[in-house]
Amino acid sequence: LKNSILLGQVLPSTLKTAVKVQVPYFVFDKNLKAYFKKTETFVAEDMVTGCKTGDLVLIQKLAKQDKKEITHSVAELVTRLGDVKDPISGEMVVGPDYRKEMLEEAKLYGADKENFNYKDSPARGRLEGTRDFTDKPTYRKWHNFEKDDPYGVLN
């Protein structure tokens, strides 16, 4: 891709100081006169932001490459996965509903406590490596071995 700044989603990877970013783009087919979605994967160094799988990031091309596979760097963390803010009102939303409205509606129906406390909840990724393996890349298992691998997905 020719752009210097790209918007993409972070993929699971085992890299320590870098992340894999999948960038979607569209290719025009002259015969069918339609655009088709394609994706390209880049490896970007992430020294500051601490991106997790599913986050939306802006990446920019490195001026000088230190390693052959790392071609970009993370410029900005746009949004974390699950934390969606309405661009017009600036309020946090869950699906199509505002969090404040959901709380008020629950109180109207007689709820004496909140269903889920977003303010006091721990940051996403606190169980990585113990119970949550979403940060690890998975693969499709074609054979069942004696030693089971938790990252393999059966066909």
Side-chain angles (χ1 to χ4, degrees), residues 122-135:
R124 184 172 69 90
R126 68 182 173 92
L127 294 174
E128 278 181 6
T130 56
R131 297 180 109 182
D132 177 25
F133 297 103
T134 55
D135 61 323

Side-chain angles (χ1 to χ4, degrees), residues 25-38:
Y25 63 97
F26 291 95
V27 175
F28 185 72
D29 188 345
K30 293 178 184 174
N31 296 330
L32 296 174
K33 294 188 171 82
Y35 286 94
F36 292 95
K37 185 178 181 180
K38 303 279 184 187

